[in-house]
Amino acid sequence: MANKKIERRLTIKKRVRRVVSGTAERPRMSVFRSNKQIYVQLIDDTKGITLVSACSRENGIEEEKITKVEQAAKVGALVAEKAKAAGIETVVFDRNGYLYHGRVKSLADGARNGGLKF
């Protein structure tokens, strides 16, 4: 059962990555969701480098007694703040095969509220 679920996510990920690509002006915002943490990177695919990254382990977000959905919203706001400091205003959202629901949606909304445009 677990293997089927992982294979399904990877199939969706490949399908999305055929279309979504990041540039220096408009990087790809890639999300990784583990059982406990959530990570996000802004990636320039033309050079193959990460421009900005953030995760729920930074700035004491993990120690706060809040839900994982609220942590994801804070990570979204944090990555938006770092992107603004790096001069990035628009991104392409890559949900990495995850459903646009729960923590992934919360992270995207937090980034939008922080000022990023997708």
Side-chain angles (χ1 to χ4, degrees):
M1 176 70 180
N3 285 339
K4 285 184 179 181
K5 197 171 187 180
I6 292 169
E7 288 172 9
R8 180 181 175 278
R9 186 181 80 81
L10 293 177
T11 304
I12 294 169
K13 178 181 176 176
K14 287 177 188 174
R15 188 182 326 130
V16 170
R17 284 290 290 127
R18 274 187 246 146
V19 179
V20 175
S21 180
T23 62
E25 300 84 38
R26 193 168 178 187
R28 177 170 55 98
M29 183 176 176
S30 178
V31 176
F32 176 72
R33 190 190 70 180
S34 72
N35 286 339
K36 292 186 177 183
Q37 310 296 334
I38 191 157
Y39 306 86
V40 63
Q41 295 179 331
L42 299 184
I43 303 167
D44 178 5
D45 288 319
T46 56
K47 294 180 183 174
I49 59 171
T50 299
L51 304 172
V52 175
S53 67
C55 70
S56 56
R57 301 170 84 182
E58 292 180 27
N59 293 349
I61 295 173
E62 183 180 31
E63 285 86 30
E64 295 179 27
K65 297 294 181 190
I66 55 177
T67 64
K68 289 188 275 190
V69 174
E70 292 167 341
Q71 282 183 354
K74 287 193 174 201
V75 172
L78 179 64
V79 77
E81 179 184 314
K82 287 183 175 184
K84 288 285 186 179
I88 301 167
E89 295 186 10
T90 60
V91 296
V92 179
F93 190 69
D94 176 14
R95 58 190 173 89
N96 216 357
Y98 300 110
L99 296 176
Y100 188 77
H101 178 269
R103 289 194 279 164
V104 175
K105 182 179 180 186
S106 178
L107 185 131
D109 290 340
R112 280 192 192 100
N113 291 339
L116 280 181
K117 295 179 184 135
F118 319 177

